[in-house]
Amino acid sequence: MQVKQAILAVTLLAGGATAADAGPDQVSILLGSHHVGATRNFEEFNPGVILTWKEVLWQNRLDVGVGVFRNSYGDASVVATTAFPLVRNQNWGLDLFAALATYPGEGDQFTYSIGDVVPIAGLQARYGNVFVQAIPSGGSSVDATLTYGLTFALD
């Protein structure tokens, strides 16, 4: 119950929303990843869930999300996301996105981190309910990471 109250408080403060429309607009189900040019083995099955509030920050241009997922090292990660839509319509979209994710005990595996908190940024594409994210290398053992999953509107 405390987590739900915290999410509601952040939404109300950050987005200027009212209690009536404070719930998330979509849920994304992360399924997996592919590590392009990997020089070591990573877990490619990365289930997770991210709740997103669409167009709530920066003059209603940025999406904001929070979630959890199984990272490529086999541990649970907590993530806070934001996305800036470049092009969006009913059927497809293309966004720039950025996130901060926890990688317990693995922060030193990344080029940039604050302890175990890692910044992530890239390009996100959606067609229908399918999304793919392309993330340039954040460390020395991969060239890029592709993540994918499904997203659904919450009406």
Side-chain angles (χ1 to χ4, degrees):
M1 188 64 169
Q2 290 177 351
V3 171
K4 188 173 181 180
Q5 291 171 340
I7 291 171
L8 176 61
V10 168
T11 303
L12 290 173
L13 292 172
T18 65
D21 61 2
D25 300 303
Q26 73 183 30
V27 61
S28 297
I29 308 300
L30 181 62
L31 298 174
S33 61
H34 173 69
H35 295 78
V36 179
T39 58
R40 59 179 278 197
N41 289 331
F42 290 97
E43 291 193 22
E44 307 285 4
F45 178 63
N46 311 106
V49 62
I50 299 171
L51 298 174
T52 302
W53 289 259
K54 296 179 78 175
E55 301 171 348
V56 296
L57 288 179
W58 196 37
Q59 299 176 344
N60 296 330
R61 294 182 188 168
L62 290 179
D63 299 349
V64 175
V66 295
V68 295
F69 64 97
R70 180 181 172 96
N71 67 41
S72 299
Y73 299 99
D75 297 314
S77 285
V78 176
V79 65
T81 67
T82 187
F84 177 76
L86 298 173
V87 179
R88 263 191 203 162
N89 65 37
Q90 185 76 14
N91 298 317
W92 63 278
L94 187 62
D95 304 337
L96 293 175
F97 80 93
L100 291 174
T102 61
Y103 280 81
E106 301 292 345
D108 61 347
Q109 299 296 311
F110 295 84
T111 304
Y112 302 102
S113 68
I114 301 169
D116 289 337
V117 177
V118 176
I120 300 168
L123 195 61
Q124 175 174 278
R126 177 191 56 83
Y127 182 76
N129 293 84
V130 176
F131 74 86
V132 175
Q133 296 174 323
I135 305 164
S137 176
S140 61
S141 56
V142 299
D143 295 329
T145 303
L146 301 175
T147 66
Y148 55 89
L150 301 170
T151 189
F152 302 96
L154 297 174
D155 296 330

